[in-house]
Every structure is written in structure tokens, then in C-alpha cells.
Amino acid sequence: MEVKFDENDRHIVSLNISVEKGTIKKPVERVELYEEGIKGDAHSGKWHRQVSMLAQEDVDNFSVTDADDRGFAPGEFAENITTKGIDYKKVAVLDRFKIGGTEMEVTQIGKKCHGDGCAIYVEVGKCVMPKSGIFTRVIKGGEIKNDDKIEYVPRPLKVKVITLSDRANSGEYKDLSGPTVNNFLINHYQNKRWHLELNGEIIPDEKERLLELLNKAKDDNYDIVITTGGTGIGPRDITPDVVADYSDKLVPGIMEHIRIKYGQEIPNALISRAVVGVKDKMIIYTLPGSVKAVKEYMTEILKTMEHMILMVHGLGH
């Protein structure tokens, strides 16, 4: 019978460390988290996979379904923290775990199996860690011990969609480009682990109003801002200029690729001045205002969006 997760009782089952990589980790009563991971553990260091976590429920289910009831001790899969009550299949990168006064941030879901370099794989032909384990980095250090309660803090992927259009803002016509962006995002992320949170606004083609919303989005810790409209060469088309001046960095390759790809068949597509910029950890995309162009741009943008999110957080290189 499959072991279920009791999310009302999230706690540490075992803490496990090893002094050498490639060896089974041994249980200990308590450990100290610091800026490089767990003191005394071989996997600590200035990288993103400092502390590994694995659910006891997944280990138990693996034992029954994939390993002929072999039974596994904590640390055999080289996990640092064996837990109860947390279904890591629902966890996303950048989510956090709080244990006492400590805090860890999820940096990677699963891993590539070492194959013949993994003792469990050699024995049973499979391993639970690549699919069910996660990796974290330490945000706030301190001591943790067996049976400590764990607080799971999901982190929303916050996206703001801003339509710039004098006529849509005045009610002269209905905005269709913003909802098109939303539909692409919802469809793209519906089967992914990110916790998508969407917010949208319609504003006139005004520099001050756009800057106000960009600043507020940054202060509210939005991950992504997507604008539609104002990327042409008309007298009121100011979006790329504002975003380019506002950004710390520009990412020219994405929009250059889109202009070249669609401009080969529709030369007018080359007139778009769309840009991609980064402000602190917020990524800003400026799209044209037509629904057709939004569909084309979103199709290409989504191919690299998640990698860009990881990169601005120091991950995914």
C-alpha cells in the first residue's frame, strides 16, 4: 500500500552527513547549517546544491514498488535531511523551508543519476533521489536536530502584464493582447511546479505611468513584467525606450531572434523595437500590441523564460 503524506506533521526524520562524496551518509543527532551548507558534510561549499532533502514516504514507496521490500536506512541515498510530511513533487525552485531559526531555499529538483557510480542503482537498477529528491542552499544558518518541525513556504512566481494603449485605457476598445499573454503563461505553467501568480493593468502610453508600475512591481518582488504595445515608431510609442533606460542589463538576443524569424516573411515585423531588460532580479519583456505578434513573441519567449529566472537568482548557469 502506498504511503501517503501527512502535511499536518512536517518534521525531520533523520540528519545525515558524510566526510567524502560518493559515500553513504551516516545519521547524526544534530547539525549546524552555515553559509556553505552543513558543517562537516562533504557536499558543503559555495554552490547551489549545499543541502539535499528526501521524503521518507518516497523512500518507503520506492522500497515496496521498485526494490522488493529491501528497506533503506536514512542517508543511503546520500540525502542530508530525511523528512516526513513533505511531498517534494509539489515543491518548486525558490520555495523555502524554515526549521527553527534556519532557512533554506530550493535550488534544484532531482538530479542526474550516477548509474554505475551509485551503490543503490547497482543493487536494484533504480534510485529514488533523481526523481524525488531536492537540493537547497542555506539562506539563514543555525542548529537543527532530529524531530524538528519544518515549515514549508511556497514562493509564487509573480508575473505582471501591462498593456500600454491610449484607446484601450479610455475604453474605446477591449484589450486583447494582455489576455493573450495570460493564456500563454497559464498554458505553459499549468503542468510545471512553479506557483504562477498573474496580475494585469491597462495604462495609457505615458512614460511616468509605466515607470510608476515598474517601480511598484520591483518593490513588490515581481519576477517578470510583460508589456504589450508601444514598441513601434509612432509619436506615442515609448515602451522600449523607458524599459531600456530603466534596466540594469539588456538581453538583446531574444528580440533580435524574433525579429529575424518573423521578419523574413513579414518585413513589417522588423520595425518592432521590442527589448528585454533586467532590473535587479526582475525580468522585463516588451511586446508589440497586436494579438498575432503577441502569440509569435510569447512562443519564443517562453523557451528561455525559466532559465532566465534561474540565472537572475544565481542558478542555472
Side-chain angles (χ1 to χ4, degrees):
M1 181 180 294
E2 182 180 5
V3 179
K4 302 295 184 181
F5 294 87
D6 181 3
E7 296 182 351
N8 294 315
D9 183 21
R10 295 174 171 144
H11 67 276
I12 295 174
V13 172
S14 180
L15 295 165
N16 319 295
I17 63 172
S18 61
V19 295
E20 295 181 4
K21 293 182 179 179
T23 60
I24 291 174
K25 295 186 183 296
K26 300 296 184 180
V28 294
E29 286 299 314
R30 61 188 68 226
V31 299
E32 184 169 349
L33 299 178
Y34 74 124
E35 65 271 14
E36 294 186 10
I38 294 177
K39 285 189 176 181
D41 184 67
H43 289 89
S44 63
K46 295 180 179 179
W47 68 323
H48 69 290
R49 285 170 46 177
Q50 296 175 346
V51 181
S52 55
M53 303 176 71
L54 183 64
Q56 183 66 51
E57 294 90 339
D58 285 325
V59 173
D60 293 340
N61 289 327
F62 176 79
S63 176
V64 172
T65 60
D66 296 292
D68 297 325
D69 285 319
R70 185 252 205 211
F72 297 92
E76 280 200 79
F77 293 99
E79 80 278 10
N80 290 119
I81 305 178
T82 316
T83 66
K84 276 272 194 179
I86 303 171
D87 186 353
Y88 293 116
K89 292 182 288 297
K90 298 178 181 179
V91 171
V93 173
L94 302 180
D95 287 354
R96 295 196 176 189
F97 295 100
K98 295 181 179 180
I99 307 173
T102 71
E103 190 167 352
M104 294 177 289
E105 180 180 65
V106 179
T107 56
Q108 182 175 315
I109 306 294
K111 70 168 187 175
K112 183 178 179 180
C113 183
H114 294 307
D116 292 342
C118 170
I120 301 297
Y121 183 87
V122 171
E123 180 180 345
V124 302
K126 294 181 180 181
C127 181
V128 69
M129 193 69 187
K131 291 185 177 180
S132 301
I134 66 164
F135 296 86
T136 69
R137 60 184 172 190
V138 176
I139 302 299
K140 185 178 180 182
E143 185 180 86
I144 60 176
K145 58 187 185 301
N146 288 328
D147 294 324
D148 276 354
K149 298 293 183 182
I150 304 173
E151 180 185 357
Y152 168 47
V153 186
R155 180 193 185 280
L157 178 65
K158 299 178 68 174
V159 183
K160 191 173 193 67
V161 180
I162 304 172
T163 298
L164 287 96
S165 170
D166 291 331
R167 291 189 293 168
N169 181 71
S170 67
E172 186 176 336
Y173 69 73
K174 184 178 180 180
D175 172 39
L176 299 177
S177 60
T180 301
V181 172
N182 289 343
N183 288 337
F184 266 84
L185 290 167
I186 291 169
N187 290 334
H188 180 75
Y189 284 103
Q190 65 181 349
N191 294 319
K192 296 177 179 287
R193 294 191 181 188
W194 300 95
H195 315 296
L196 183 63
E197 181 180 307
L198 283 171
N199 180 274
E201 293 200 39
I202 303 173
I203 63 172
D205 295 287
E206 295 177 358
K207 174 181 178 179
E208 293 74 17
R209 183 66 177 129
L210 177 55
L211 281 173
E212 179 185 341
L213 290 184
L214 290 174
N215 280 320
K216 188 173 189 310
K218 180 174 68 69
D219 292 343
D220 291 341
N221 296 315
Y222 272 81
D223 297 286
I224 297 166
V225 172
I226 301 176
T227 70
T228 70
T231 62
I233 57 174
R236 297 279 287 175
D237 290 333
I238 48 85
T239 313
D241 310 283
V242 173
V243 170
D245 289 342
Y246 181 78
S247 299
D248 299 321
K249 301 173 183 177
L250 294 178
V251 190
I254 296 173
M255 296 310 189
E256 288 173 358
H257 162 72
I258 294 171
R259 278 189 284 268
I260 292 172
K261 178 175 181 176
Y262 294 101
Q264 291 176 342
E265 296 182 3
I266 308 171
N268 285 347
L270 297 171
I271 300 173
S272 170
R273 299 184 301 121
V275 299
V276 179
V278 177
K279 181 69 171 180
D280 294 340
K281 293 181 180 180
M282 184 174 74
I283 305 165
I284 310 167
Y285 301 89
T286 65
L287 278 57
S290 78
V291 170
K292 182 177 183 298
V294 167
K295 291 178 179 179
E296 294 169 347
Y297 275 65
M298 288 301 296
T299 297
E300 302 303 320
I301 284 170
L302 288 172
K303 294 176 182 178
T304 57
M305 181 178 285
E306 288 158 90
H307 187 61
M308 287 187 64
I309 296 168
L310 296 178
M311 289 186 72
V312 297
H313 286 273
L315 306 170
H317 291 275

